[in-house]
Amino acid sequence: MDCRKLIEDRTPELGMEFNIEEDAYKFYNKYAFKMGFSVRKDYVNKDKDGVTTSRRYSCCKEGVKRKYEGDVMPKRTRAPTKTGCGAKMIIVLLRATMKYRVHDLILEHDHELHIAQCSHMMPSQRKVSEAQRFQAEISEDAGLSLKQSHELMGKEAGGMENVGYTREDLKRYLRTRQERSLKYGEAGSMLNYFQEQTLENPSFFHAVQLDCEEQITNIFWADAGMLIDYNFFGDVVTFDTTYKTNKEYRPLGVFVGFNQHRQMVIFGAALMYDETIDSFKWVFGTFLEAMYGKRPSTILTDQDHAMAAALSVVMPETFHGLCTFHIRRNFMKHHGNHYKENSDLPYMFGACMYEFEEVKQFNRVWEAMVKKHNLENNEWLSGLYRIRDKWARCMMKERWTAGMRSTQLSESLNAAIKNHLKLDHDLVQFFRHFNRVVDEKRHNELIAEYEMRQKLRMVGLRQTPMLVHASETYSPTIFVAFQNEYGESTAMVILRQQDAGMFVEFTVMRYDGGVERIVVFNRNDVSVRCSCKKYENEGILCGHALKVFDTVGIKIIPREYVKRRWTKRARAGDCFDRQGREIVADPKVIVSTRYRELAPAMIKVAARAAMSEDTSKIVITVISDLAKKVELLLSENEGQPLQNPKILNVSESEPTSVSVEEHMFMGCRSFTDSVSVHSMSQTVNGPPNAVAPEIDESETGRNNTQGLQVRVDVASAENEVNE
């Protein structure tokens, strides 16, 4: 029978034939959409080879609701939907032609059919397509709510009726996706996530610490962008663990610094089990290992004693400063009553921290403060005084801090993370949302880079060679700071000048009074040293030194006083990993660029083709053929299957290796990867010569690992880091 006309009319009849079973279902489902009922796949018969011999498609209202047979009726029951409708279509396989023929057909329904405006809500008409799933996942990762994501897709499709699914369908899909991501437990899914990141970029670094029971305790990770940022701006670092994340309330430690625009850059992050000395030792040691042993000049933290003890062991050559914000907050905890009594204690304490530049003046005021308020025996103040070299301005003015005195950068990062997280998020969700925050910070830097090249600097005195030189050299933010100092220099006067052969000592002060500064100028190397120590502390010449330069006739900034980290070209140069490979922040940039070129063109064609049914069919056919050609070309270019060199790194690994056996990741299969301890992806255990690597699934576990055990074997005790 020629069924072409019937298929075009979308009306089923006895004797119609279909090449495959799926064609029969699609045809009957389209007919159901037109009529206003939903199709349910009922019984199916198959032969011993698994080939379907007959199938029945019924109306979704076929049958009746079963009566509840329990002793206690449930409090809430769903309204019945089945009416015993007998509408159906049965197909059977014809062995002679291997086609399916409509064998039995009933078109009459015993219930009211849906109106055309509601047809898209019927279950058999609802399906989240592959493209829609991808878009829903992107929307979820971008922080859009379920409602916002569904409304966005409705706008793109030209109305909710064109989306093809309901909000509940999307909710179920996203929930299933989350459950699927936790197939191996949170710890297993976390390791799987790290593996995926390493596949995308071999420079991705991660490490996991295990306890004596082989349970995951501390986690550290840093992507390629963080490694690059640390290479250029890792001289001053802040570390803070005040933020507690996810339902396990684990401390989140983040290594943060400044870029050339004085914006936040993130160098690495750690999820910690506890805040003990051993945990901090592991985190700091792993951080140095990720950064190839390059130690920061200065690290700022809060007043945590365990953190201080760990830093003294892991980074003895790094200056450890204390966050002034945390000190003031702790001061309020211990002496908050003085704020209510209108006491001058808070003001005297603040002056000791921020104002006094001379040690003698600091000691004199401190002694007067504790004596006036009877605090000579106060343990907290006495302990703080003993470590005054870590927080007092007079002690820190010669330390290089890039102008940072607190961990406020970490605090602002914690606030940004809090906006994107919920307590019920699992570890993998946390990593995804943490990456969103990192991407936001990096996007802010791109905006600053664009504006730096787009906008001309506002030079106050255009005929001044030094300001012109500074505007061409420094980033806009640093140029503004330098220009302010140059403006101050115009208000300076030289009180005295003493020549001592090679050195000339100038006494400089503002014309309207203030503190006298001693500036020593070296005639041989054209260097200056000012008693205010602004350049040593912040990397920008002070107004006193600029006044001396102007006096001796130096009209541009000497090269040795231009810190590269503050210049426009602070990121110039390449970064290489331990194997000598260049670190690429995002290998997918080229792919993204191509996508940005292709996507608008494809959308434009789709929008025009949707205006007509004929053009839509033609475009669908062309796209289908094009997709096949694309897959063919890609498979030809790939040549042979990849051997996963990005993860294994067997040929490049050093003698020290870690063997990871994963039983759970492949279901019933298991495989063993051998990776280098110093490679980008690794699982690290503290003591060497441990047992063979193993992942074991049990019911007990802690740190939200759901019993996933990781055992690591270190073949050699060599674990040194080259600076």
Side-chain angles (χ1 to χ4, degrees), residues 208-238:
V208 174
Q209 187 188 33
L210 312 177
D211 61 9
C212 59
E213 298 177 359
E214 299 167 7
Q215 301 291 317
I216 294 177
T217 55
N218 299 314
I219 307 163
F220 176 87
W221 73 98
D223 63 25
M226 297 176 184
L227 302 180
I228 293 174
D229 288 339
Y230 184 81
N231 181 71
F232 295 121
F233 308 110
D235 47 359
V236 180
V237 175
T238 70

Side-chain angles (χ1 to χ4, degrees), residues 2 9 63 68 101 116 134 171 212 231 256 364 411 507 516 528 535 544 549 618 649 699:
D2 186 6
D9 294 339
Y68 184 74
R101 175 179 292 177
F134 181 70
K171 182 178 180 181
C212 59
N231 181 71
V256 178
R364 183 172 64 252
E411 296 291 339
T507 303
E516 293 185 3
V528 292
Y535 178 79
H544 319 103
F549 275 151
I618 294 174
N649 288 330
E699 294 182 358

